[in-house]
Amino acid sequence: MTIRYTFGGDEFIFVEISEDMSLDAFFRGTAITRELTRRNIPGVSEICPANASYQVRYDPDVIAPDTLLALLKDIEAQVGEADLDIATRIIEVPVLYNDPWTHETLMRFRERHQDPDSTDLEYAARINGMPDVDAFIAAHSGSPWFVSMVGFVAGLPFMFQMVERERQLQVPKYLRPRTDTPKLTIGHGGCFGCIYSVRGAGGYQMFGVTPAPIFDPTQRLDYLRDFMVFFQPGDIVKFKPIDRDAYDEAVAAVDAGTFSLRVRPVTFSLADFRRDPDAYNRSLVEVLDAN
């Protein structure tokens, strides 16, 4: 894995960990950016991690570009291949799969889809070798997901599925983007999952909706009181399938300002995950079930 460094104007360094987006590239970038944050370097004002890259904003009057570049390469050499322990949190996100709103939307845009005669879930199940939609939903919700970056629109998390590369669900984006996507849609494009934080255009396949707001400038709900954007890179998400009654009940709680997400602190160990991903994922989920 060869890291490429590029200067952006006189205030930015863009660092590409790998051209191939993968959990390994994400973990390596996370280790580097967390160590850079820990060092609190004068002149470094912003550190923005992404799926397989990161960008650093700096003040060239405080730290010279070549000095910062040498520092980043030094951190790469020291921690880039090291085992990674992350103090983070696991979040249970309820999902109404195969909901009526994404279904109505996807039917309006079938001419932009690879398979106009099936739904997004049916298509995703078929190309991943699943016998039916229920099996695909079980695979989608059966393992946790790592939030690798937040962006595109305010509060939208991009997520890697925490399984071996050959087991990751793969579904291409629409042939042409839609002009509409319901708010809080659970989407998927390539190997990435996401949650559309607001209504708008989009090209990811649509699998369901969550009742849980993840971006709210008014910060009405308890888990959004600290910041209007809920997700952070490094968060771990566990999707929980729910039925329509549970969804409606959750929406009513959101409207009343009483809805809350199940969020628990965890320490993620890359070494333990690599040793046995399935067993380690079960131990993470048990943290939610034990409280």
Side-chain angles (χ1 to χ4, degrees), residues 19-140:
E19 292 183 359
D20 183 23
M21 293 187 184
S22 65
L23 273 174
D24 285 344
F26 163 67
F27 288 139
R28 192 173 189 188
T30 298
I32 293 170
T33 54
R34 291 203 170 213
E35 175 61 18
L36 180 61
T37 301
R38 187 194 67 80
R39 294 191 186 188
N40 194 25
I41 306 299
V44 172
S45 58
E46 293 182 69
I47 303 167
C48 182
N51 298 317
S53 62
Y54 67 92
Q55 183 165 276
V56 179
R57 185 176 188 178
Y58 64 97
D59 183 345
D61 292 331
V62 177
I63 183 169
D66 289 342
T67 300
L68 178 57
L69 178 61
L71 174 66
L72 295 178
K73 290 183 176 181
D74 178 63
I75 293 176
E76 174 199 341
Q78 289 186 36
V79 307
E81 298 291 352
D83 288 334
L84 179 65
D85 289 342
I86 302 176
T88 184
R89 53 189 184 168
I90 185 168
I91 302 138
E92 184 178 81
V93 176
V95 180
L96 176 61
Y97 287 93
N98 219 357
D99 67 284
W101 305 283
T102 59
H103 181 80
E104 184 276 332
T105 302
L106 67 87
M107 293 306 293
R108 284 191 279 123
F109 293 96
R110 293 330 279 164
E111 80 283 356
R112 305 184 184 206
H113 196 273
Q114 293 87 346
D115 187 355
D117 295 326
S118 67
T119 67
D120 292 8
L121 273 170
E122 289 168 345
Y123 172 68
R126 177 168 57 79
I127 68 170
N128 281 277
M130 305 287 181
D132 53 33
V133 165
D134 288 342
F136 182 84
I137 291 172
H140 187 269

Side-chain angles (χ1 to χ4, degrees), residues 10 33 59 83 182 192 270 278:
D10 57 0
T33 54
D59 183 345
D83 288 334
F192 289 108
L270 179 57
D278 288 341

